[in-house]
Amino acid sequence: MPRKVVQGPIRDKEKTKQKLLGAVGKILKTKGYSGLMVSKIAAVAGYDKKLIYEYFGSTDKLIDEYIKSQDYWSNFSGENDVDLADGGQTLSKMAMINQFENLKKNKELQKILVWELSEGRSVLKKVMDEREVIGEELFKNITDPHFGDDATRYRAMTALMIAGIYHLNLYTAYNGSTFCGIDLKSESGRKEIEGAIEEMVDYAYSKKAGKK
């Protein structure tokens, strides 16, 4: 008779890690960041809290890994699917529109962004710094060469658009649906914002083309 394989937290490490990460998300979504205590995370996951230290090293490292798994830019790989011959014009539009829709659906990421704005914590600073490193690589290797002397101006325009994406989604999630008379909970309203993003990116690239 074949020996029965016993599976449990120690033998199934990856499954256990995913359940612990999932517990962080559940708590963040329902209780907010104040509920992210080691005992609470362990209880929601259904494991002993010692596994958090065994698999992640600390509660902060567990939360850090969870935040990175949710962060749009930390997981961005769209440049692999887009022809960059246009200097990043198509990529810029695709990335920001996808971020706009991703943030609407991801309630946990909304909580993380509110957390970033309201508290100064090393675990959040680390993710924000990593986000900047990824952005720097995209700018340096794709859009900066295209814009040349105007590269910093395009970065500034991108900053405003991404900040707007954050604010509009958070405003809609927490306060109301209408901003500047546009209903952001309606499909037509969101399409207007997406169209505006495309027009702003196209304007920047057309302005650069007009200088040549």
Side-chain angles (χ1 to χ4, degrees):
M1 184 175 180
R3 183 180 176 184
K4 184 178 180 180
V5 177
V6 180
Q7 288 197 336
I10 304 301
R11 298 184 67 87
D12 197 352
K13 179 177 178 179
E14 191 55 38
K15 182 179 178 181
T16 304
K17 289 181 69 175
Q18 290 306 313
K19 286 196 73 174
L20 289 166
L21 288 164
V24 173
K26 288 177 183 177
I27 294 168
L28 193 59
K29 189 174 181 179
T30 57
K31 302 293 184 182
Y33 43 81
S34 62
L36 292 175
M37 298 174 289
V38 62
S39 57
K40 184 66 176 178
I41 296 170
V44 171
Y47 294 128
D48 192 300
K49 64 183 180 182
K50 69 182 181 182
L51 291 176
I52 293 175
Y53 301 105
E54 182 175 344
Y55 292 156
F56 296 94
S58 69
T59 310
D60 275 356
K61 288 181 180 178
L62 166 61
I63 296 170
D64 177 37
E65 187 164 331
Y66 176 78
I67 292 173
K68 285 192 288 187
S69 75
Q70 298 299 309
D71 186 65
Y72 179 79
W73 291 107
S74 295
N75 297 283
F76 183 73
S77 60
E79 71 273 22
N80 297 326
D81 305 316
V82 177
D83 184 356
L84 301 176
D86 61 0
Q89 184 173 0
T90 301
L91 176 66
S92 294
K93 291 189 285 188
M94 181 203 75
M96 285 187 276
I97 288 172
N98 286 348
Q99 183 187 23
F100 183 60
E101 288 307 313
N102 174 268
L103 184 52
K104 173 195 173 186
K105 299 170 186 174
N106 194 328
K107 303 303 181 185
E108 292 87 349
L109 182 54
Q110 291 174 11
K111 294 279 188 179
I112 290 167
L113 290 172
V114 172
W115 191 10
E116 288 180 0
L117 292 170
S118 58
E119 282 198 30
R121 292 203 178 192
S122 59
V123 65
L124 297 172
K125 181 66 164 57
K126 182 179 178 183
V127 173
M128 292 165 72
D129 289 344
E130 289 176 357
R131 189 186 296 153
E132 279 297 303
V133 169
I134 293 166
E136 181 62 26
E137 288 300 308
L138 292 172
F139 284 126
K140 184 173 66 176
N141 295 316
I142 299 172
T143 60
D144 284 0
H146 177 81
F147 282 95
D149 293 341
D150 295 325
T152 301
R153 177 56 56 85
Y154 184 67
R155 287 181 179 225
M157 292 177 70
T158 301
L160 288 170
M161 285 186 278
I162 292 176
I165 287 168
Y166 288 160
H167 182 78
L168 291 175
N169 273 297
L170 294 176
Y171 176 86
T172 305
Y174 289 95
N175 289 307
S177 63
T178 303
F179 196 94
C180 290
I182 298 173
D183 183 358
L184 294 170
K185 288 190 175 178
S186 70
E187 183 177 352
S188 61
R190 295 189 71 83
K191 288 296 181 186
E192 286 293 335
I193 300 298
E194 292 175 8
I197 291 171
E198 290 189 330
E199 285 187 20
M200 284 187 279
V201 173
D202 287 340
Y203 169 77
Y205 277 81
S206 65
K207 186 178 179 182
K208 176 61 180 175
K211 289 185 176 183
K212 293 181 179 180

